[in-house]
Amino acid sequence: MTATPPDVLRCAYAELVVTDLAASREFYVGVLGLVVSDEDEEALYLRAFEEYLHHSLVLRKGATPALAVLGYRIRSAADLDLAEAYYRALGCRVERRAAGATRGIGEAVRVEDPLGFPVEFFCEAEHVERFTQRYDVHGAGALSRLDHFNLDTPDVPAARKYYEGLGFRVSEDIQDDEGTVYAAWMFRKPTVHDVALTGGDGPRLHHIAFASHERTQILHLCDHLGALRQSGMIERGPGRHGVSNAFYLYLRDPDGHRIEIYTHDYYTGDPDNPVLTWDVHDNQRRDWWGNPVVPSWYSDASAVLDLDGKPQPLIARAEAREADVTIGADGFSYTSKDTSKDTEFKLGEQV
């Protein structure tokens, strides 16, 4: 008999290893405006303005930048037992963690999942002040909540099947005429995604994303970085995604971890919410305005640690890669099946 999976509510927090805690604090608190829930010499615990759980991001000092854990909140304490049994049945490494093993988090189950990612499931967490109406401390670029994780994994259909086993549903995906799946967006909360699966060498963390309420808040962050003469931290955007329809901005933190600021996606909570499939050659899938994707967005990602804190070995993607079929040799032009509609580059992007 198949084990029952835990009832996952949503993505809840990530823990990143950073090499310079002071530099990270200046970026995440000084620029992004996240709220400090707690801190010491080894770690910084942060949350966005609408969040009342202890944290949605942990920055922990270490020698090498990496992802240490992805946290999902589950519905009840009984789901901890379900999570433990479910992952043991899958043959995964499982650890039961006492309350407080991660500051602010109750009893938890931490696993190395079938995709090679360190994942924690928890129900209870310490409550802290929700700053929703603390407009006296909101900056012009105020972030509201953690929105999603994006993971590089070599076999997207296999990863999709694994997450479907946990009760996640697909909102959108990218394919080609041969049936190759390049990416999939999957959700538990009623938005476009809690986790996105991007086809590439993995396991690696592509990015974590925080939501804002308005596009103007994203534009302010760009202005803020420009005023600091740190516009080089902007990797891609601002722009509008085709997939998800969200307005976006991608930043790189002082250690190179990619952070997306994200707003204006759509509701997916109805049981018959349709899956939207994009053709990999549709140049509006990644950017609705047709702007090409910078090569680093496809090539770079954060290393992933196992439960012992050691880097996970990478498995190469065997199938075609999205960048290989959609980005030209100069790194910026793009290709299209229908050359009668598009030149080989977007005007202004040619070298």
Side-chain angles (χ1 to χ4, degrees):
M1 185 175 69
T2 304
T4 301
D7 187 359
V8 178
L9 297 177
R10 61 178 178 87
C11 66
Y13 85 90
E15 181 177 312
L16 301 177
V17 178
V18 299
T19 58
D20 186 331
L21 207 54
S24 292
R25 194 186 199 284
E26 179 55 35
F27 174 74
Y28 286 97
V29 180
V31 176
L32 296 188
L34 294 177
V35 179
V36 178
S37 295
D38 208 341
E39 63 183 318
D40 57 32
E41 293 181 353
E42 299 299 321
L44 188 60
Y45 302 82
L46 304 173
R47 68 187 191 276
F49 284 104
E50 291 185 356
E51 295 175 320
Y52 65 90
L53 298 192
H54 185 266
H55 60 263
S56 57
L57 179 63
V58 181
L59 304 174
R60 192 171 302 280
K61 188 176 179 180
T64 304
L67 168 70
V69 71
L70 299 172
Y72 288 105
R73 196 173 193 194
I74 53 180
R75 187 168 299 278
S76 69
D79 285 292
L80 290 171
D81 294 329
L82 292 179
E84 182 174 5
Y86 184 78
Y87 281 94
R88 291 196 188 282
L90 290 177
C92 297
R93 182 177 173 184
V94 179
E95 292 181 354
R96 195 74 176 239
R97 291 167 61 86
T102 296
R103 191 174 303 178
I105 300 296
E107 187 179 2
V109 171
R110 188 171 287 196
V111 306
E112 288 179 16
D113 76 8
L115 309 182
F117 289 90
V119 177
E120 181 168 284
F121 299 93
F122 72 96
C123 171
E124 296 181 356
E126 180 183 336
H127 287 198
V128 290
E129 181 183 359
R130 180 179 247 163
F131 276 17
T132 305
Q133 294 181 319
R134 286 294 309 276
Y135 298 112
D136 55 318
V137 296
H138 286 206
L143 303 183
S144 54
R145 57 178 173 80
L146 178 72
D147 188 82
H148 63 263
F149 310 132
N150 187 306
L151 312 178
D152 279 353
T153 187
D155 187 338
V156 175
R160 168 179 171 164
K161 183 177 180 181
Y162 157 64
Y163 267 100
E164 286 176 331
L166 283 173
F168 285 68
R169 293 162 56 199
V170 177
S171 59
E172 306 194 26
D173 63 12
I174 296 174
Q175 301 189 28
D176 62 19
D177 289 344
E178 289 72 45
T180 302
V181 181
Y182 295 86
W185 285 255
M186 306 191 71
F187 65 93
R188 286 293 291 171
K189 68 181 186 306
T191 63
V192 171
H193 57 320
D194 288 272
V195 64
L197 307 168
T198 298
D201 299 347
R204 295 188 299 168
L205 173 69
H206 190 273
H207 66 265
I208 64 171
F210 285 93
S212 67
H213 281 299
E214 301 175 5
R215 287 169 291 183
T216 55
Q217 292 166 319
I218 290 176
L219 296 175
H220 172 77
L221 288 173
C222 295
D223 283 339
H224 190 167
L225 285 165
L228 295 174
R229 295 289 179 174
Q230 294 179 4
S231 58
M233 301 183 91
I234 300 173
E235 179 186 34
R236 182 181 165 208
R240 167 87 58 192
H241 281 310
V243 176
S244 82
N245 194 51
F247 200 79
Y248 71 85
L249 173 69
Y250 291 97
L251 306 172
R252 302 290 286 271
D253 81 357
D255 283 287
H257 295 303
R258 183 180 290 107
I259 306 298
E260 182 183 17
I261 314 302
Y262 179 96
T263 192
H264 291 180
D265 63 349
Y266 57 89
Y267 174 77
T268 59
D270 288 358
D272 58 350
N273 183 75
V275 176
L276 178 58
T277 293
W278 293 78
D279 187 288
V280 72
H281 295 286
D282 186 338
N283 294 317
Q284 291 184 267
R285 74 201 183 285
R286 291 293 190 181
D287 186 280
W288 186 242
W289 307 334
N291 291 318
V293 181
V294 295
S296 63
W297 194 89
Y298 282 118
S299 63
D300 296 358
S302 298
V304 167
L305 303 181
D306 64 18
L307 296 190
D308 295 319
K310 299 177 181 177
Q312 290 278 37
L314 291 183
I315 299 173
R317 177 170 169 83
E319 295 183 290
R321 300 166 187 260
E322 189 176 346
D324 295 338
V325 300
T326 57
I327 294 183
D330 63 5
F332 288 94
S333 64
Y334 53 76
T335 61
S336 173
K337 290 188 301 182
D338 187 354
T339 56
S340 67
K341 292 184 178 180
D342 295 315
T343 58
E344 72 173 83
F345 54 82
K346 186 175 181 181
L347 189 63
E349 296 291 350
Q350 69 272 31
V351 174

